[in-house]
Amino acid sequence: MSEVVVQVNGNKPASLKGDSPTKYFPPSPALAPSLNESRKELLSPNMTIDNYTPTPANGNGKFGFTKQELAALVSPHKDHSRLAQYGYAPGIMAGLGVDENQGLSTASGNVVIDRDIRLSAFGANRLPTVKPKTLIYYMLKAMSDKIMILLSIVSCISLSIGIYEDVHTEIPSERIHWIEGFSVMTAVIIVVLASSINDLQKDKQFRTLNAKKEDRVVKGVRNGQTQMISIYEILVGDILLLEPGDVIAADGIFISGMGLKCDESSATGETDAIRKGTGHDCFIVSGSKVTEGIGRYVVTGVGESSFFGNIMMALRVENDDTPLQVKLDGLAERIAKLGTSFAVLLLVLLFLKYVIVTMNQGGFGNGANQETGSEAAQQLVKILLVSIAIVAVAVPEGLPLAVTLALAYATTRMMKDNNLVRVLSACETMGNATTICSDKTGTLTQNRMTVVTGVFGKNAMFEGDQEISELKSKIAPIAPGSADNSARKEVGPNGNELLDTIMEGVALNSSAFEGVDDSTGKTELVGSKTEVALLEWAVKSGFDYKKIRAGEKSTVVQVYPFSSERKSMSTLVKVTRENGPPVYRMHVKGAPEIVMRSCDRVVLVPFSPSATAIKFEASRASDEASARNRRPLSEVPATGSRSNPEGSIIYPLDDKIKSEYTSIIEGFALQSLRTICLAYREFSVEEFNALVNGPLREKVVAARKAERAAEKLGNTAAANEGLLRAPEPAFLTATTPGSSALGLPSSGTDSTSFVESHVSEEEIITEADVLGHALALNEFGGHGLIVGSIVGIEDPLRVGVPEAVKACQDAGVFVRMVTGDNIMTAKSIATKCGIYSKGGLVMEGEYFRTLNDEQMAEMIPKLQVLARSSPMDKQILVSKLKEYGETVAVTGDGTNDGPALKMADIGFSMGIAGTEVAKEASSIILMDDSFSSVVKAILWGRSVNDAVKKFLQFQLSVNISAVMITLISALVDSEESSAITVVQLLWINLIMDTLAALALATEVPTNELLQRPPEGKRAPLITFRMWKMILGQAFLQISVNMILLFVGPTFFGFKELAAAGGVNGEVGSAIVTEQRLILKTIIFNSFVFLQIFNMVNARRIDSSINVFRGITSNPPFFIIFAIIVASQCIIIEFGDIVFKTHHLNAGQWLACLLCGSLTLPWGMMLRLIPDEFFNAIGIKTNLETAHEVIVEKAHQIEMEKIGGHKTFKQKMNTKMQRLRLTNYNWLRGGKRRRDDEVDELEVPQNMHPSQAAIANHFPLINRFFSPYGLPHSINSSNWFI
């Protein structure tokens, strides 16, 4: 029996007896000194990294694995035994020809040297492009429309009958019966082509947009340097880095990391975060999300060969219609049913008229005065064509097309305005947003952090670049002070040691790194803006952070990444000192309020004021609030006091020093500075080892046992009954009696792993496991810290933010700031932005989350700033606002912002600072992270809604008038033919459905759209003013055409036609036939020009008289207008055969133009009719705004709480009706008059209408708005009024 050597936790191997060769349990990768040392335990016996050469399996001799072999690692399930067979990460990397530290090698232009070979062997990280739909596809789709099918069939019948008649006609000049059928067929082809080409262009636009929205960059290692790599450029063999918030872009195998956990719920359905690492799950699955920790992995699967790629290939579906499209489809269906009813009515009436007239004139037969069979068939086909044409005109196919065009145009233009739309419906919804919960950093500010001031050891101050550059000369001369056990004073570090310690923390306790900007080619720092600012501060102070990172003096032992819950980041470092034994040092940085809770001591140095700060203090000496509790900086404290010790000392952090630090922090906050506390704690090697191998290990073991017990408790026999489980991975379980896949002896025939059977929990847990546990962070960084420095970081406002906030307020959109900054900084920035105003509420998240529902209902309407908030606070705020009836937009950038972004009606993620989780949860990505882009989204959202309404207003007026004119003229005509022929109707239909949609959907939005309140969620598509214009214009068009039809012969001097009885008379001589044709041409021409001018009139859906405002900024409108006019002129003058038109003289043309132009003055008259006139006759004209919906919702909630008394409810309902928001001046602040029963209320400036209304309605809220009626439970330290 051979000896088995088991290495546990990297300690000296323990000897065991077994039948298998030597194996090792590997130590933590985080503690491994090199690749060879840290990975060799994973290889087979007598095998090292240097001699491991996988057998080439893909035939090209370059790589050790094929694409299929690597894909089999995770598909259909994670195959641990296969991974063990491949040699784990070292074997994979060796087979792929890549080094962990160097990554893939690149040539000039940052192109991987063997890129083409890897692409050929493993493919690209792109899914196969969906084959674009061709023009033929869209033509077939357009032809599948029922109306087009009917027209095609009837036109073919008409053409066949016409050809039959022409064949039997002896006179060549009379062989024209085929023309009508052919004309209809040609018109159908033109309509189908126009619709198909438009759909094709729209599809191309969305494909381009989708390609942009899916692209992103990840961190990777190439040529030994950390770089940003596009996900489309990831290759098999790449070494990628993982951080919290990353969405994994390709499959791979874990190499090294610290505390790495992934949420694979979206990929595998596993609800709990899965820990990754040696001894745990080593598979990194694409599509999953990093929830905590950091790590690196080697890519093994890309594109359709990856786990997520396989899923996406199976889930490819067409985009769903937006809510507006669905609503318009329903409206179009109802209109189509109404139009079809008219068409059927016309068909029946014309058929009866034709039969009755024919029977009275000789009947059917082959006699001289009788209708032959072919003539009867031709006439019936003509009647059928007219009826179908009415359906074609009545059915508003252009409505869905209009919203599609508007969305396509808006999303394309929004991309230029730095809004990348991921969810189309967000365009529509954003236009009616009532409130925005905005982040501060990067959204309202520039996200370009710079350290501008700070304190070292509490008493040494600096401010400005000049003093920062002199910081080393200022701090370095400080000598250690003296200890005093009675006062609990300890000897502090000298100036150089203090500087080195603080800058060591800045350099090592950071995830920022150097990268190359692709656009400029310059090297710059990449990472958190705060960390970048701290590194730049170190450089300005004369320290080389790269030298600190690369030096042998300090070695990173464990990193605890930044957490939004902890609002801090920590790093454990082992430091080798020249004049003493090595020590372990814990560096912590974060929000002062959070970090200082874990501090019990502080470094104090001699007093050294900042000259710049003294000048600044003098300039604001009149500000009593800022100077109330502070000693003037120019006043030197007594030597030997805590504010001016003789040397550097470490002193207990008592209440007085805490108060002094609070004063410093508030002073920074009043300057709108973000404050960062830099603290540390030191352990001797003996203390560290005793802690790690003693109490801390025991706590971790106990915690692990508790976790395992909880898991076992969940896997009860009852839960497992009837389940067929897959076997455990072969490398963890015994495969044959007496042995295991690890080559270790098992306990008889039991399949329990050797690890569980023979190695205790204490032996399994490595030092890295102990250090990586949350308990270690609490033990090392949760108490006993020393405050070293506090710095103030400035992030100036973005250009145009105050104006953008004011624009939102003018638009009736209430802006709130939700930030993680301290309350003073948040209030200062909010004041500068215009978000905070007198009478508003500023609150801390810690207090906000403790409020009950009643208190939230009181405070949220007035809440303007939520500071020190957690992602959960934001989620609570969003849910409550939606409950109150608000349409909520939210901005977010962090992983934990995902739930709030998903919950909001519109989620905005940050394109620059946002994590991939936030981007996936959002509806729109702000490519520049700027709040001004949110305002542009509101503008475009309202533009989309307006574009659809403009087209709706235009088309319905055409629908009504065309149907009625066709119906009336066909009934009175002696030949049962409409004044407007089938082909002419199809041309009008083309104008309505395609050209007008293009013209009205491409209007460029103006700031005028922001000068009105948002519409309510229940607001109708067609407002009263639109109905007034639709019915008014339809009345005008019907009247004009009927006058031309019946009075035209006399007006235009058609004596012969008038004498024959007009259009209702018998067709006699050729002159009568010609005049009849000219009159119908005039009617057709006038009708088209009525539509052309109505297109201009439809540009306004409000009561504004000037319909030409902004028309010069819309070139597509001019182009389409010109195309329609030119086409109409050609049709009239040269389309006699197809369109059955006749040449018109100048007078007749002038008459047509005058008739068409009547639309504009008539529209002006309709707009001048006051709404009060209609209100007086009982017609409701007021459009319900979003604010009224909010008020009504709040009223409903209050009623549900009150319950009970019916009379009281009725009284409240009556009061609610009196307090409706009907005056837009309410949005700007001011007074509102009410009945004598209710006193006037002064509305705070910039107050949201819903807030004021709710304050008026309900006693609780009204009491809250009074300065003397504040709830007594409110802690004054958590809010500002």
Side-chain angles (χ1 to χ4, degrees), residues 451-456 460-463 537 610 664 668 789-792:
V451 175
V452 293
T453 187
V455 294
F456 257 92
M461 291 165 269
F462 62 89
E463 186 164 336
W537 170 56
S610 163
I664 292 172
F668 289 169
S789 176
I790 289 181
V791 296

Side-chain angles (χ1 to χ4, degrees), residues 292-340:
E292 59 182 88
I294 57 175
R296 63 173 58 196
Y297 75 103
V298 56
V299 174
T300 59
V302 295
E304 60 181 321
S305 298
S306 65
F307 184 89
F308 193 63
N310 280 324
I311 296 175
M312 293 305 294
M313 289 297 292
L315 293 179
R316 283 189 164 175
V317 294
E318 295 290 330
N319 290 331
D320 293 332
D321 287 340
T322 68
L324 185 57
Q325 285 173 322
V326 173
K327 193 182 293 186
L328 286 173
D329 282 338
L331 177 62
E333 185 177 346
R334 291 193 294 272
I335 296 173
K337 290 178 180 178
L338 188 61
T340 303

Side-chain angles (χ1 to χ4, degrees), residues 562-573:
F562 176 82
S563 165
S564 56
E565 285 81 9
R566 296 193 307 267
K567 295 191 182 299
S568 63
M569 177 180 178
S570 307
T571 300
L572 182 63
V573 180

Side-chain angles (χ1 to χ4, degrees), residues 860-881:
I860 286 178
K862 204 177 181 184
L863 180 65
Q864 292 179 336
V865 180
L866 187 59
R868 282 297 179 222
S869 63
S870 69
M872 184 55 66
D873 297 331
K874 184 184 289 189
Q875 191 174 351
I876 294 170
L877 177 60
V878 171
S879 66
K880 288 298 180 183
L881 287 170

